[in-house]
Amino acid sequence: MSEKATLVVGDAHYDLPIIEGSEGERAVDIRQLRARSGLITLDPGYGNTGSCESAITFIDGDRGILRYRGIPIEQFAEAPNFVEVAWLLIFGHLPTREEYRAFAADLTAQADLDENMKHHFEGFPRSAPPMAILSAMINALSCFHPELFELEDPERFRMAAARLISKIRTIAAYAYRHSRGLPFIYPDPRLRYVPNFLHMLFSQPYVQWHCDEAVCEALNLVLILHADHEQNCSTSTVRMVGSSQANLFASCAAGVCALWGPLHGGANVEVLTMLEQIHGGNLTAEEYVRLAKDRDSKVRLMGFGHRVYKNFDPRARMLAEVAERLLARLGQDDPLLQIARRLEEIALRDPYFVDRQLYPNVDFYSGIILRAIGIPTNMFTVIFAIGRLPGWIAHWWEQRQGDGSRIARPRQIYVGDRERPYVAMDERL
Ligand code: SDX
């Protein structure tokens, strides 16, 4: 055995192998722990537990590093192309010109929804949360493409991935249009991925919405920066559901549900609410920070803190720059950006945040960019899901290709009642 850890329990000693990743991360391999010692480990929230070995994304939370298949995210900022990064995450390499052309053509060809799917939208109340519609309609997609249930064949998998990545835009746009009582706008095969999405969101019948180059670039980069983040809550959910051999659509629909939570992808909505509260004069930035430091207030500085980053989230830095640049290019002066900058300045000087290593995360600035584009707040987490979908697909496929045959089934420590008898109704107090 190479390097090992020794667990001493009473007189018993258990040697456990230490494994090391390609970036030097080390783990105690406990796969045989229960079989050999009868013991399990306990780690609520999995802050100390690795669920898998993965080759997709590397994060160094102490040094603020994020790489997709080894490429630092900063290198995607120049001419950002979400479709290219989606291919990289799923298939492990940057696409050749021919691979890119074929994939982009598939995305264009697959943008429509079956006309019968449109009736589902009409069944939702206009007030329905778009994330509820998104998860429901991704699952509903599988009803129209049963041939994609079985994805052993790589070619079938590639087609299913293209279908999902293309159609998630159409579902998102239709959810938005339905909520506003607007007619659905069909995808335009002449448009590329992001402009086509914005066209479906904002065009009117006979009045085509034109995508400003700065907006197209900004949204491509927003989607890229959300595309994967190793074993976050929603990606772990996709892997968990996929481990039961559930199909790709069901697994990604589950990922949407996990992402919806305000502590995860829903935080970008909470950040805007927080900034608008301060802008509305209810609270000053200083008062809000004071509340966020008071555990009893139940208030958190939304968009701050991260389980992994104990330094700046590199995505937050990049998104802050995108926000500044886009607002300047559009000639917009959004007071919420100044409030965000003020909150960041106050918090980064406050021992409460410094001592807990709480920095802005990906959600702190993203909403300001989406707001500048005209995307409503209740669609922010949907945009996060569109970005994160290639990462979910990549992890689902990596698990399916690996020894992912084992269903994920954590253990527990039972702390309930000891054995006791059933009591007939008449004898109960
Ligand atoms: C995402 O995992 C990923 O990779 C996620 C993500 C991705 O790309 O998939 O990066 C996307 O989900 C980003 C995070 C978005 N959520 C928020 O912005 C919500 C606000 N942030 C927090 O709720 C919190 O920081 C979490 C949920 C992000 C992380 O929670 P942890 O790791 O469980 O940390 P914790 O709750 O144990 O906090 C440690 C301490 C506590 O104080 P003490 O008990 O030590 O006194 O820090 C405090 C917390 O109260 N704290 C905060 C805070 N975040 C943590 N206090 C005020 N404001 C905050 N935002």
Side-chain angles (χ1 to χ4, degrees):
M1 183 185 292
S2 55
E3 192 184 3
K4 66 181 183 342
T6 301
L7 177 66
V8 178
V9 181
D11 299 334
H13 289 61
Y14 304 98
D15 288 343
L16 300 166
I18 299 274
I19 61 171
E20 183 167 318
S22 49
E23 285 291 340
E25 294 166 297
R26 303 194 311 154
V28 178
D29 184 338
I30 58 169
R31 274 173 273 210
Q32 299 304 320
L33 177 65
R34 188 169 182 275
R36 291 175 49 202
S37 71
L39 295 167
I40 66 167
T41 59
L42 181 64
D43 185 18
Y46 307 119
N48 304 282
T49 300
S51 60
C52 64
E53 292 172 293
S54 176
I56 299 170
T57 290
F58 172 67
I59 299 174
D60 180 323
D62 296 324
R63 293 189 293 158
I65 290 173
L66 174 56
R67 299 185 197 134
Y68 293 159
R69 299 285 187 180
I71 301 175
I73 54 163
E74 291 78 6
Q75 296 187 19
F76 298 116
E78 190 65 33
N81 182 326
F82 175 62
V83 169
E84 181 180 57
V85 172
W87 178 279
L88 169 71
L89 286 168
I90 296 169
F91 299 104
H93 64 273
L94 288 166
T96 61
R97 192 177 301 280
E98 179 45 32
E99 286 170 333
Y100 179 80
R101 187 206 57 74
F103 190 54
D106 283 341
L107 293 175
T108 299
Q110 295 298 336
D112 291 306
L113 294 182
D114 186 296
E115 284 294 303
N116 286 337
M117 277 193 75
K118 287 167 58 181
H119 301 307
H120 293 272
F121 288 92
E122 285 141 22
F124 289 109
R126 284 194 184 161
S127 58
M131 287 295 274
I133 297 176
L134 188 64
S135 60
M137 298 304 272
I138 286 177
N139 242 326
L141 262 184
S142 57
C143 305
F144 291 85
H145 301 284
E147 73 282 6
L148 298 174
F149 276 121
E150 289 316 313
L151 294 182
E152 298 317 318
D153 167 53
E155 189 44 35
R156 264 199 175 181
F157 165 73
R158 197 185 60 72
M159 182 47 76
R163 265 202 174 91
L164 253 180
I165 292 169
S166 184
K167 294 182 191 301
I168 192 173
R169 290 175 297 177
T170 315
I171 293 171
Y174 283 13
Y176 166 72
R177 305 289 292 194
H178 175 70
S179 73
R180 301 291 173 102
L182 295 170
F184 294 151
I185 297 295
Y186 284 93
D188 180 341
R190 296 165 301 180
L191 298 176
R192 300 181 63 181
Y193 191 85
V194 162
N196 211 351
F197 172 54
L198 294 173
H199 154 66
M200 290 189 276
L201 271 182
F202 298 135
S203 287
Q204 295 301 343
Y206 315 112
V207 181
Q208 176 118 11
W209 191 88
H210 288 289
C211 186
D212 175 296
E213 192 47 41
V215 167
C216 180
E217 192 179 288
L219 190 49
N220 263 286
L221 190 52
V222 166
L223 295 176
I224 288 169
L225 295 179
H226 285 80
D228 193 53
H229 214 240
E230 52 133 283
Q231 302 310 317
N232 60 87
C233 179
S234 54
T235 302
S236 297
T237 300
V238 171
R239 288 182 84 112
M240 172 76 83
V241 173
S243 76
S244 73
Q245 306 285 313
N247 68 73
L248 178 62
F249 297 79
S251 304
C252 291
V256 170
C257 297
L259 188 71
W260 194 356
L263 292 188
H264 189 15
N268 54 17
V269 176
E270 303 294 326
V271 169
L272 249 288
T273 305
M274 170 180 76
L275 297 177
E276 282 168 342
Q277 258 188 336
I278 296 169
H279 181 55
N282 308 359
L283 288 164
T284 65
E286 289 75 5
E287 285 164 343
Y288 202 99
V289 169
R290 225 178 352 267
L291 266 180
K293 289 160 57 178
D294 171 7
R295 173 188 289 277
D296 298 334
S297 74
K298 304 284 184 243
V299 169
R300 290 202 151 184
L301 189 55
M302 299 312 277
F304 252 71
H306 199 278
R307 175 63 58 77
V308 175
Y309 288 119
K310 300 309 171 190
N311 193 324
F312 257 86
D313 180 334
R315 301 168 297 177
R317 282 189 198 281
M318 293 174 73
L319 288 169
E321 288 167 20
V322 171
E324 300 273 5
R325 206 166 51 238
L326 181 65
L327 288 173
R329 292 269 287 267
L330 297 178
Q332 292 182 21
D333 177 19
D334 186 348
L336 301 191
L337 178 59
Q338 305 323 320
I339 293 171
R341 286 293 197 195
R342 177 81 184 116
L343 283 170
E344 179 181 343
E345 182 193 337
I346 297 167
L348 294 187
R349 283 204 312 254
D350 186 312
Y352 173 92
F353 294 91
V354 174
D355 296 349
R356 291 170 177 79
Q357 299 176 299
L358 303 175
Y359 293 89
N361 60 48
V362 68
D363 293 301
F364 195 61
Y365 287 104
S366 57
I368 291 169
I369 297 165
L370 301 179
R371 184 174 133 103
I373 294 173
I375 293 171
T377 308
N378 72 340
M379 288 288 288
F380 284 3
T381 313
V382 171
I383 302 298
F384 194 148
I386 294 172
R388 185 53 51 91
L389 182 61
W392 289 339
I393 294 171
H395 282 273
W396 184 89
W397 185 243
E398 179 181 68
Q399 177 174 262
R400 193 57 74 93
Q401 297 307 295
D403 65 352
S405 53
R406 293 204 76 207
I407 191 168
R409 202 271 186 222
R411 297 277 177 168
Q412 65 162 24
I413 293 294
Y414 175 72
V415 292
D417 290 305
R418 305 293 303 273
E419 183 176 358
R420 57 184 176 142
Y422 177 82
V423 178
M425 181 66 82
D426 298 342
E427 293 165 30
R428 292 175 202 161
L429 301 177

PDB file of all heavy atoms in Angstrom, residues 118-147:
ATOM      1  N   LYS A 118     -46.492  22.758 -26.112  1.00  0.00           N
ATOM      2  CA  LYS A 118     -46.939  24.129 -25.793  1.00  0.00           C
ATOM      3  C   LYS A 118     -48.201  24.112 -24.942  1.00  0.00           C
ATOM      4  O   LYS A 118     -48.430  25.016 -24.148  1.00  0.00           O
ATOM      5  CB  LYS A 118     -47.146  24.904 -27.106  1.00  0.00           C
ATOM      6  CG  LYS A 118     -45.824  25.263 -27.770  1.00  0.00           C
ATOM      7  CD  LYS A 118     -45.978  25.733 -29.188  1.00  0.00           C
ATOM      8  CE  LYS A 118     -46.875  26.942 -29.302  1.00  0.00           C
ATOM      9  NZ  LYS A 118     -47.016  27.371 -30.712  1.00  0.00           N
ATOM     10  N   HIS A 119     -49.002  23.065 -25.084  1.00  0.00           N
ATOM     11  CA  HIS A 119     -50.235  23.020 -24.268  1.00  0.00           C
ATOM     12  C   HIS A 119     -49.893  22.935 -22.777  1.00  0.00           C
ATOM     13  O   HIS A 119     -50.647  23.399 -21.927  1.00  0.00           O
ATOM     14  CB  HIS A 119     -51.088  21.819 -24.689  1.00  0.00           C
ATOM     15  CG  HIS A 119     -51.485  21.868 -26.142  1.00  0.00           C
ATOM     16  ND1 HIS A 119     -52.117  22.972 -26.707  1.00  0.00           N
ATOM     17  CD2 HIS A 119     -51.286  20.990 -27.157  1.00  0.00           C
ATOM     18  CE1 HIS A 119     -52.319  22.734 -28.005  1.00  0.00           C
ATOM     19  NE2 HIS A 119     -51.812  21.549 -28.305  1.00  0.00           N
ATOM     20  N   HIS A 120     -48.746  22.327 -22.468  1.00  0.00           N
ATOM     21  CA  HIS A 120     -48.372  22.227 -21.043  1.00  0.00           C
ATOM     22  C   HIS A 120     -48.196  23.629 -20.450  1.00  0.00           C
ATOM     23  O   HIS A 120     -48.598  23.891 -19.328  1.00  0.00           O
ATOM     24  CB  HIS A 120     -47.042  21.472 -20.900  1.00  0.00           C
ATOM     25  CG  HIS A 120     -47.111  20.024 -21.276  1.00  0.00           C
ATOM     26  ND1 HIS A 120     -47.445  19.033 -20.385  1.00  0.00           N
ATOM     27  CD2 HIS A 120     -46.892  19.400 -22.466  1.00  0.00           C
ATOM     28  CE1 HIS A 120     -47.419  17.848 -21.015  1.00  0.00           C
ATOM     29  NE2 HIS A 120     -47.091  18.051 -22.273  1.00  0.00           N
ATOM     30  N   PHE A 121     -47.596  24.533 -21.234  1.00  0.00           N
ATOM     31  CA  PHE A 121     -47.363  25.882 -20.701  1.00  0.00           C
ATOM     32  C   PHE A 121     -48.696  26.542 -20.363  1.00  0.00           C
ATOM     33  O   PHE A 121     -48.842  27.216 -19.350  1.00  0.00           O
ATOM     34  CB  PHE A 121     -46.614  26.742 -21.740  1.00  0.00           C
ATOM     35  CG  PHE A 121     -45.176  26.358 -21.916  1.00  0.00           C
ATOM     36  CD1 PHE A 121     -44.795  25.447 -22.881  1.00  0.00           C
ATOM     37  CD2 PHE A 121     -44.194  26.894 -21.084  1.00  0.00           C
ATOM     38  CE1 PHE A 121     -43.468  25.076 -23.033  1.00  0.00           C
ATOM     39  CE2 PHE A 121     -42.863  26.536 -21.235  1.00  0.00           C
ATOM     40  CZ  PHE A 121     -42.492  25.621 -22.211  1.00  0.00           C
ATOM     41  N   GLU A 122     -49.702  26.308 -21.258  1.00  0.00           N
ATOM     42  CA  GLU A 122     -50.993  26.959 -21.033  1.00  0.00           C
ATOM     43  C   GLU A 122     -51.652  26.485 -19.739  1.00  0.00           C
ATOM     44  O   GLU A 122     -52.475  27.160 -19.155  1.00  0.00           O
ATOM     45  CB  GLU A 122     -51.919  26.709 -22.245  1.00  0.00           C
ATOM     46  CG  GLU A 122     -51.516  27.564 -23.452  1.00  0.00           C
ATOM     47  CD  GLU A 122     -51.633  26.822 -24.788  1.00  0.00           C
ATOM     48  OE1 GLU A 122     -52.401  25.833 -24.837  1.00  0.00           O
ATOM     49  OE2 GLU A 122     -50.945  27.219 -25.748  1.00  0.00           O
ATOM     50  N   GLY A 123     -51.212  25.302 -19.266  1.00  0.00           N
ATOM     51  CA  GLY A 123     -51.816  24.771 -18.036  1.00  0.00           C
ATOM     52  C   GLY A 123     -51.271  25.426 -16.773  1.00  0.00           C
ATOM     53  O   GLY A 123     -51.860  25.341 -15.704  1.00  0.00           O
ATOM     54  N   PHE A 124     -50.122  26.109 -16.904  1.00  0.00           N
ATOM     55  CA  PHE A 124     -49.540  26.741 -15.712  1.00  0.00           C
ATOM     56  C   PHE A 124     -50.179  28.104 -15.468  1.00  0.00           C
ATOM     57  O   PHE A 124     -50.450  28.839 -16.419  1.00  0.00           O
ATOM     58  CB  PHE A 124     -48.030  26.958 -15.911  1.00  0.00           C
ATOM     59  CG  PHE A 124     -47.220  25.684 -15.899  1.00  0.00           C
ATOM     60  CD1 PHE A 124     -46.653  25.205 -17.073  1.00  0.00           C
ATOM     61  CD2 PHE A 124     -47.022  24.982 -14.721  1.00  0.00           C
ATOM     62  CE1 PHE A 124     -45.894  24.025 -17.068  1.00  0.00           C
ATOM     63  CE2 PHE A 124     -46.262  23.814 -14.713  1.00  0.00           C
ATOM     64  CZ  PHE A 124     -45.706  23.338 -15.885  1.00  0.00           C
ATOM     65  N   PRO A 125     -50.391  28.495 -14.203  1.00  0.00           N
ATOM     66  CA  PRO A 125     -50.826  29.865 -13.938  1.00  0.00           C
ATOM     67  C   PRO A 125     -49.724  30.828 -14.367  1.00  0.00           C
ATOM     68  O   PRO A 125     -48.538  30.452 -14.365  1.00  0.00           O
ATOM     69  CB  PRO A 125     -51.025  29.901 -12.416  1.00  0.00           C
ATOM     70  CG  PRO A 125     -50.323  28.715 -11.866  1.00  0.00           C
ATOM     71  CD  PRO A 125     -50.246  27.702 -12.957  1.00  0.00           C
ATOM     72  N   ARG A 126     -50.057  32.043 -14.763  1.00  0.00           N
ATOM     73  CA  ARG A 126     -49.030  32.992 -15.199  1.00  0.00           C
ATOM     74  C   ARG A 126     -48.032  33.296 -14.082  1.00  0.00           C
ATOM     75  O   ARG A 126     -46.907  33.683 -14.325  1.00  0.00           O
ATOM     76  CB  ARG A 126     -49.687  34.303 -15.664  1.00  0.00           C
ATOM     77  CG  ARG A 126     -50.315  34.142 -17.030  1.00  0.00           C
ATOM     78  CD  ARG A 126     -50.651  35.466 -17.642  1.00  0.00           C
ATOM     79  NE  ARG A 126     -51.338  35.275 -18.928  1.00  0.00           N
ATOM     80  CZ  ARG A 126     -52.072  36.219 -19.507  1.00  0.00           C
ATOM     81  NH1 ARG A 126     -52.190  37.399 -18.921  1.00  0.00           N
ATOM     82  NH2 ARG A 126     -52.684  35.997 -20.629  1.00  0.00           N
ATOM     83  N   SER A 127     -48.505  33.088 -12.843  1.00  0.00           N
ATOM     84  CA  SER A 127     -47.620  33.395 -11.700  1.00  0.00           C
ATOM     85  C   SER A 127     -46.694  32.233 -11.367  1.00  0.00           C
ATOM     86  O   SER A 127     -45.936  32.299 -10.398  1.00  0.00           O
ATOM     87  CB  SER A 127     -48.497  33.688 -10.476  1.00  0.00           C
ATOM     88  OG  SER A 127     -49.327  32.541 -10.237  1.00  0.00           O
ATOM     89  N   ALA A 128     -46.780  31.153 -12.167  1.00  0.00           N
ATOM     90  CA  ALA A 128     -45.967  29.964 -11.837  1.00  0.00           C
ATOM     91  C   ALA A 128     -44.483  30.325 -11.852  1.00  0.00           C
ATOM     92  O   ALA A 128     -44.005  30.977 -12.775  1.00  0.00           O
ATOM     93  CB  ALA A 128     -46.250  28.862 -12.852  1.00  0.00           C
ATOM     94  N   PRO A 129     -43.724  29.888 -10.825  1.00  0.00           N
ATOM     95  CA  PRO A 129     -42.272  30.176 -10.817  1.00  0.00           C
ATOM     96  C   PRO A 129     -41.605  29.520 -12.025  1.00  0.00           C
ATOM     97  O   PRO A 129     -41.817  28.316 -12.265  1.00  0.00           O
ATOM     98  CB  PRO A 129     -41.792  29.538  -9.518  1.00  0.00           C
ATOM     99  CG  PRO A 129     -43.010  29.307  -8.686  1.00  0.00           C
ATOM    100  CD  PRO A 129     -44.150  29.122  -9.646  1.00  0.00           C
ATOM    101  N   PRO A 130     -40.820  30.255 -12.795  1.00  0.00           N
ATOM    102  CA  PRO A 130     -40.182  29.679 -13.991  1.00  0.00           C
ATOM    103  C   PRO A 130     -39.342  28.437 -13.699  1.00  0.00           C
ATOM    104  O   PRO A 130     -39.247  27.544 -14.530  1.00  0.00           O
ATOM    105  CB  PRO A 130     -39.320  30.820 -14.512  1.00  0.00           C
ATOM    106  CG  PRO A 130     -39.943  32.061 -13.985  1.00  0.00           C
ATOM    107  CD  PRO A 130     -40.559  31.690 -12.673  1.00  0.00           C
ATOM    108  N   MET A 131     -38.762  28.340 -12.497  1.00  0.00           N
ATOM    109  CA  MET A 131     -37.961  27.158 -12.166  1.00  0.00           C
ATOM    110  C   MET A 131     -38.848  25.916 -12.035  1.00  0.00           C
ATOM    111  O   MET A 131     -38.436  24.812 -12.388  1.00  0.00           O
ATOM    112  CB  MET A 131     -37.149  27.373 -10.890  1.00  0.00           C
ATOM    113  CG  MET A 131     -35.970  28.302 -11.052  1.00  0.00           C
ATOM    114  SD  MET A 131     -34.703  27.659 -12.171  1.00  0.00           S
ATOM    115  CE  MET A 131     -33.732  26.667 -11.016  1.00  0.00           C
ATOM    116  N   ALA A 132     -40.098  26.115 -11.580  1.00  0.00           N
ATOM    117  CA  ALA A 132     -41.030  24.976 -11.505  1.00  0.00           C
ATOM    118  C   ALA A 132     -41.371  24.509 -12.916  1.00  0.00           C
ATOM    119  O   ALA A 132     -41.393  23.308 -13.211  1.00  0.00           O
ATOM    120  CB  ALA A 132     -42.293  25.392 -10.748  1.00  0.00           C
ATOM    121  N   ILE A 133     -41.596  25.474 -13.798  1.00  0.00           N
ATOM    122  CA  ILE A 133     -41.906  25.134 -15.205  1.00  0.00           C
ATOM    123  C   ILE A 133     -40.705  24.450 -15.849  1.00  0.00           C
ATOM    124  O   ILE A 133     -40.841  23.428 -16.525  1.00  0.00           O
ATOM    125  CB  ILE A 133     -42.303  26.395 -15.987  1.00  0.00           C
ATOM    126  CG1 ILE A 133     -43.583  27.015 -15.396  1.00  0.00           C
ATOM    127  CG2 ILE A 133     -42.477  26.081 -17.478  1.00  0.00           C
ATOM    128  CD1 ILE A 133     -44.010  28.323 -16.049  1.00  0.00           C
ATOM    129  N   LEU A 134     -39.525  24.974 -15.592  1.00  0.00           N
ATOM    130  CA  LEU A 134     -38.311  24.432 -16.218  1.00  0.00           C
ATOM    131  C   LEU A 134     -38.104  22.974 -15.830  1.00  0.00           C
ATOM    132  O   LEU A 134     -37.887  22.112 -16.692  1.00  0.00           O
ATOM    133  CB  LEU A 134     -37.109  25.271 -15.817  1.00  0.00           C
ATOM    134  CG  LEU A 134     -35.783  24.959 -16.533  1.00  0.00           C
ATOM    135  CD1 LEU A 134     -35.890  25.260 -18.021  1.00  0.00           C
ATOM    136  CD2 LEU A 134     -34.626  25.738 -15.912  1.00  0.00           C
ATOM    137  N   SER A 135     -38.192  22.669 -14.552  1.00  0.00           N
ATOM    138  CA  SER A 135     -37.949  21.271 -14.138  1.00  0.00           C
ATOM    139  C   SER A 135     -39.040  20.363 -14.695  1.00  0.00           C
ATOM    140  O   SER A 135     -38.773  19.266 -15.203  1.00  0.00           O
ATOM    141  CB  SER A 135     -37.871  21.164 -12.622  1.00  0.00           C
ATOM    142  OG  SER A 135     -39.070  21.588 -12.038  1.00  0.00           O
ATOM    143  N   ALA A 136     -40.290  20.843 -14.690  1.00  0.00           N
ATOM    144  CA  ALA A 136     -41.392  20.025 -15.210  1.00  0.00           C
ATOM    145  C   ALA A 136     -41.230  19.776 -16.704  1.00  0.00           C
ATOM    146  O   ALA A 136     -41.392  18.651 -17.191  1.00  0.00           O
ATOM    147  CB  ALA A 136     -42.729  20.725 -14.943  1.00  0.00           C
ATOM    148  N   MET A 137     -40.850  20.803 -17.441  1.00  0.00           N
ATOM    149  CA  MET A 137     -40.797  20.672 -18.900  1.00  0.00           C
ATOM    150  C   MET A 137     -39.557  19.906 -19.373  1.00  0.00           C
ATOM    151  O   MET A 137     -39.581  19.266 -20.420  1.00  0.00           O
ATOM    152  CB  MET A 137     -40.870  22.043 -19.563  1.00  0.00           C
ATOM    153  CG  MET A 137     -42.147  22.781 -19.275  1.00  0.00           C
ATOM    154  SD  MET A 137     -43.612  21.819 -19.731  1.00  0.00           S
ATOM    155  CE  MET A 137     -43.761  22.307 -21.419  1.00  0.00           C
ATOM    156  N   ILE A 138     -38.484  19.945 -18.584  1.00  0.00           N
ATOM    157  CA  ILE A 138     -37.318  19.110 -18.956  1.00  0.00           C
ATOM    158  C   ILE A 138     -37.702  17.644 -18.815  1.00  0.00           C
ATOM    159  O   ILE A 138     -37.399  16.814 -19.675  1.00  0.00           O
ATOM    160  CB  ILE A 138     -36.097  19.458 -18.084  1.00  0.00           C
ATOM    161  CG1 ILE A 138     -35.519  20.811 -18.519  1.00  0.00           C
ATOM    162  CG2 ILE A 138     -35.026  18.374 -18.185  1.00  0.00           C
ATOM    163  CD1 ILE A 138     -34.351  21.292 -17.672  1.00  0.00           C
ATOM    164  N   ASN A 139     -38.442  17.324 -17.757  1.00  0.00           N
ATOM    165  CA  ASN A 139     -38.928  15.946 -17.617  1.00  0.00           C
ATOM    166  C   ASN A 139     -39.912  15.614 -18.733  1.00  0.00           C
ATOM    167  O   ASN A 139     -39.867  14.538 -19.330  1.00  0.00           O
ATOM    168  CB  ASN A 139     -39.619  15.778 -16.260  1.00  0.00           C
ATOM    169  CG  ASN A 139     -38.896  14.738 -15.425  1.00  0.00           C
ATOM    170  OD1 ASN A 139     -38.371  13.777 -15.957  1.00  0.00           O
ATOM    171  ND2 ASN A 139     -38.861  14.948 -14.135  1.00  0.00           N
ATOM    172  N   ALA A 140     -40.779  16.565 -19.046  1.00  0.00           N
ATOM    173  CA  ALA A 140     -41.796  16.324 -20.093  1.00  0.00           C
ATOM    174  C   ALA A 140     -41.124  16.078 -21.446  1.00  0.00           C
ATOM    175  O   ALA A 140     -41.623  15.284 -22.265  1.00  0.00           O
ATOM    176  CB  ALA A 140     -42.739  17.516 -20.181  1.00  0.00           C
ATOM    177  N   LEU A 141     -39.967  16.694 -21.654  1.00  0.00           N
ATOM    178  CA  LEU A 141     -39.244  16.498 -22.937  1.00  0.00           C
ATOM    179  C   LEU A 141     -39.028  15.013 -23.212  1.00  0.00           C
ATOM    180  O   LEU A 141     -39.161  14.545 -24.338  1.00  0.00           O
ATOM    181  CB  LEU A 141     -37.876  17.179 -22.882  1.00  0.00           C
ATOM    182  CG  LEU A 141     -37.686  18.541 -23.472  1.00  0.00           C
ATOM    183  CD1 LEU A 141     -36.218  18.940 -23.379  1.00  0.00           C
ATOM    184  CD2 LEU A 141     -38.147  18.598 -24.927  1.00  0.00           C
ATOM    185  N   SER A 142     -38.725  14.269 -22.125  1.00  0.00           N
ATOM    186  CA  SER A 142     -38.404  12.844 -22.339  1.00  0.00           C
ATOM    187  C   SER A 142     -39.623  12.089 -22.863  1.00  0.00           C
ATOM    188  O   SER A 142     -39.507  11.078 -23.531  1.00  0.00           O
ATOM    189  CB  SER A 142     -37.917  12.206 -21.034  1.00  0.00           C
ATOM    190  OG  SER A 142     -38.894  12.347 -20.016  1.00  0.00           O
ATOM    191  N   CYS A 143     -40.822  12.618 -22.589  1.00  0.00           N
ATOM    192  CA  CYS A 143     -42.031  11.942 -23.089  1.00  0.00           C
ATOM    193  C   CYS A 143     -42.124  12.071 -24.611  1.00  0.00           C
ATOM    194  O   CYS A 143     -42.751  11.249 -25.278  1.00  0.00           O
ATOM    195  CB  CYS A 143     -43.279  12.556 -22.463  1.00  0.00           C
ATOM    196  SG  CYS A 143     -43.226  12.552 -20.668  1.00  0.00           S
ATOM    197  N   PHE A 144     -41.497  13.100 -25.143  1.00  0.00           N
ATOM    198  CA  PHE A 144     -41.556  13.329 -26.593  1.00  0.00           C
ATOM    199  C   PHE A 144     -40.332  12.740 -27.298  1.00  0.00           C
ATOM    200  O   PHE A 144     -40.255  12.729 -28.507  1.00  0.00           O
ATOM    201  CB  PHE A 144     -41.657  14.834 -26.872  1.00  0.00           C
ATOM    202  CG  PHE A 144     -42.973  15.428 -26.456  1.00  0.00           C
ATOM    203  CD1 PHE A 144     -43.174  15.849 -25.146  1.00  0.00           C
ATOM    204  CD2 PHE A 144     -44.030  15.499 -27.347  1.00  0.00           C
ATOM    205  CE1 PHE A 144     -44.397  16.365 -24.740  1.00  0.00           C
ATOM    206  CE2 PHE A 144     -45.260  16.026 -26.959  1.00  0.00           C
ATOM    207  CZ  PHE A 144     -45.441  16.456 -25.650  1.00  0.00           C
ATOM    208  N   HIS A 145     -39.362  12.314 -26.506  1.00  0.00           N
ATOM    209  CA  HIS A 145     -38.158  11.720 -27.125  1.00  0.00           C
ATOM    210  C   HIS A 145     -37.784  10.441 -26.399  1.00  0.00           C
ATOM    211  O   HIS A 145     -36.680  10.301 -25.861  1.00  0.00           O
ATOM    212  CB  HIS A 145     -36.998  12.727 -27.056  1.00  0.00           C
ATOM    213  CG  HIS A 145     -37.306  14.018 -27.745  1.00  0.00           C
ATOM    214  ND1 HIS A 145     -37.291  14.157 -29.113  1.00  0.00           N
ATOM    215  CD2 HIS A 145     -37.690  15.230 -27.247  1.00  0.00           C
ATOM    216  CE1 HIS A 145     -37.628  15.395 -29.435  1.00  0.00           C
ATOM    217  NE2 HIS A 145     -37.872  16.067 -28.326  1.00  0.00           N
ATOM    218  N   PRO A 146     -38.705   9.469 -26.344  1.00  0.00           N
ATOM    219  CA  PRO A 146     -38.408   8.232 -25.591  1.00  0.00           C
ATOM    220  C   PRO A 146     -37.168   7.519 -26.099  1.00  0.00           C
ATOM    221  O   PRO A 146     -36.524   6.782 -25.359  1.00  0.00           O
ATOM    222  CB  PRO A 146     -39.678   7.391 -25.789  1.00  0.00           C
ATOM    223  CG  PRO A 146     -40.376   7.965 -26.980  1.00  0.00           C
ATOM    224  CD  PRO A 146     -40.015   9.414 -27.032  1.00  0.00           C
ATOM    225  N   GLU A 147     -36.793   7.818 -27.362  1.00  0.00           N
ATOM    226  CA  GLU A 147     -35.605   7.143 -27.898  1.00  0.00           C
ATOM    227  C   GLU A 147     -34.355   7.569 -27.128  1.00  0.00           C
ATOM    228  O   GLU A 147     -33.303   6.967 -27.197  1.00  0.00           O
ATOM    229  CB  GLU A 147     -35.436   7.466 -29.391  1.00  0.00           C
ATOM    230  CG  GLU A 147     -34.962   8.873 -29.724  1.00  0.00           C
ATOM    231  CD  GLU A 147     -36.078   9.930 -29.624  1.00  0.00           C
ATOM    232  OE1 GLU A 147     -37.196   9.591 -29.194  1.00  0.00           O
ATOM    233  OE2 GLU A 147     -35.801  11.101 -29.957  1.00  0.00           O
TER     234      GLU A 147
END
